[in-house]
Amino acid sequence: METKVTTLNNPLILALDVSGKEAKKVLEELSLGIDIFKIGSRLFTEVGPDCVSWVNKRDKKVFLDLKFHDIPLTVSESCRNAARMGVWGFTMHASGGSAMMRQAADAVRDESERLGVSKPYLFAVTVLTSFSDGDLNETGVSGSALDQVQRLAILAKQCGMDGVVASGNEIEPIRKVCDENFLLVVPGIRFESDGKKDDQKRTISPKEAMRLGANYLVVGRPILNQKDRQSAAQKILQEIR
Ligand code: C5P
């Protein structure tokens, strides 16, 4: 049984990279304009699985970004747990390899069918947007981040992932090697006019990322660090609609 969920109309994913107390406030403030909230390791290690319920209770979707990277059994069982939590999608590192990704994809399909629920999207993280070519080379991977992203995107697709997380600079090169149904999630979103990259190195503006064919944009600090988060979110939404 094919159990795919449909792509949502609103491509903006807000990263809840804040404390538990602040996350509740952000959910209250921004629930009108945003459909998907990203829960990463910071919030999850403070609050635990309850933060997934906070989002689900508001009829919003959870993008669980715990970036699994471990032996195939550990990852596939963690993926089963994520499927049981009722998340919209979640992440693992493509560099965890083909056996890990294949076993994870099988486990999620199996668990979703067993529960009779929609299968969450599986996204493989390629190369972190905080990495430059030099940062990547330091880890023993030669060549450019772009080459590595393309290589990992092909592998992720072959191993049953629904899409990848990559920077805006890699959207077109990925589209050349993976079909248009393969989902592209793009973090490292910054406005050129701000000139503020924080720890991100491979950045792109929201408008340009959408023009190049991103399916979803992940945004944290450009919204969270603004005094008026509502209008910061609206500004991005206006740019991409
Ligand atoms: O604050 P900022 O918009 O830079 O946050 C980007 C978010 O996207 C963070 O939560 C980070 O964990 C996530 N992310 C990323 N690069 C990836 C994958 C996820 O920045 N390759």
Side-chain angles (χ1 to χ4, degrees):
M1 182 176 58
E2 186 55 40
T3 46
K4 278 215 155 179
V5 293
T6 48
T7 308
L8 300 175
N9 289 328
N10 185 346
L12 182 57
I13 302 178
L14 180 70
L16 288 172
D17 293 333
V18 287
S19 67
K21 193 174 162 207
E22 195 63 18
K24 282 189 168 171
K25 212 170 116 193
V26 172
L27 280 167
E28 192 70 46
E29 274 172 9
L30 293 170
S31 268
L32 271 183
I34 290 166
D35 294 329
I36 314 172
F37 290 88
K38 186 178 89 84
I39 294 176
S41 53
R42 175 177 173 186
L43 187 62
F44 201 81
T45 50
E46 185 198 325
V47 177
D50 278 359
C51 60
V52 173
S53 317
W54 296 351
V55 178
N56 282 343
K57 271 187 195 145
R58 291 179 173 269
D59 272 336
K60 301 289 174 180
K61 311 278 180 203
V62 174
F63 178 40
L64 188 65
D65 186 27
L66 298 179
K67 299 189 178 69
F68 300 137
H69 187 164
D70 211 315
I71 58 170
L73 181 65
T74 302
V75 169
S76 61
E77 290 303 312
S78 307
C79 290
R80 278 185 195 272
N81 291 340
R84 284 190 211 116
M85 276 183 211
V87 300
W88 167 83
F90 61 90
T91 56
M92 67 196 77
H93 274 285
S95 54
S98 60
M100 184 200 81
M101 286 190 279
R102 284 211 166 91
Q103 196 166 317
D106 287 347
V108 172
R109 203 174 308 111
D110 176 68
E111 194 62 24
S112 306
E113 282 175 14
R114 205 180 62 75
L115 297 168
V117 297
S118 297
K119 185 185 85 62
Y121 284 130
L122 273 71
F123 295 102
V125 176
T126 54
V127 175
L128 294 172
T129 44
S130 56
F131 268 42
S132 64
D133 288 353
D135 297 321
L136 182 67
N137 299 158
E138 235 175 37
T139 68
V141 179
S142 56
S144 66
L146 173 57
D147 289 344
Q148 178 69 352
V149 169
Q150 228 182 6
R151 188 178 302 127
L152 290 175
I154 295 169
L155 187 68
K157 169 95 188 139
Q158 286 167 349
C159 296
M161 298 292 107
D162 298 299
V164 286
V165 184
S167 92
N169 313 324
E170 291 116 29
I171 297 169
E172 283 186 314
I174 294 173
R175 288 281 179 230
K176 277 191 193 142
V177 291
C178 300
D179 63 71
E180 75 229 19
N181 296 321
F182 198 54
L183 297 172
L184 301 190
V185 177
V186 176
I189 300 296
R190 291 295 182 275
F191 289 103
E192 248 163 56
S193 53
D194 284 357
K196 202 166 185 287
K197 289 194 168 201
D198 305 304
D199 51 5
Q200 298 284 17
K201 299 212 175 114
R202 303 193 331 280
T203 60
I204 193 165
S205 75
K207 196 172 185 174
E208 185 62 0
M210 293 307 291
R211 190 189 69 75
L212 291 169
N215 297 98
Y216 296 99
L217 309 182
V218 176
V219 183
R221 286 162 291 185
I223 293 176
L224 298 171
N225 290 353
Q226 303 307 313
K227 262 208 186 100
D228 185 348
R229 290 168 171 164
Q230 253 309 344
S231 28
Q234 285 311 319
K235 185 179 163 198
I236 295 180
L237 285 167
Q238 272 159 15
E239 267 215 20
I240 61 181
R241 276 184 170 151

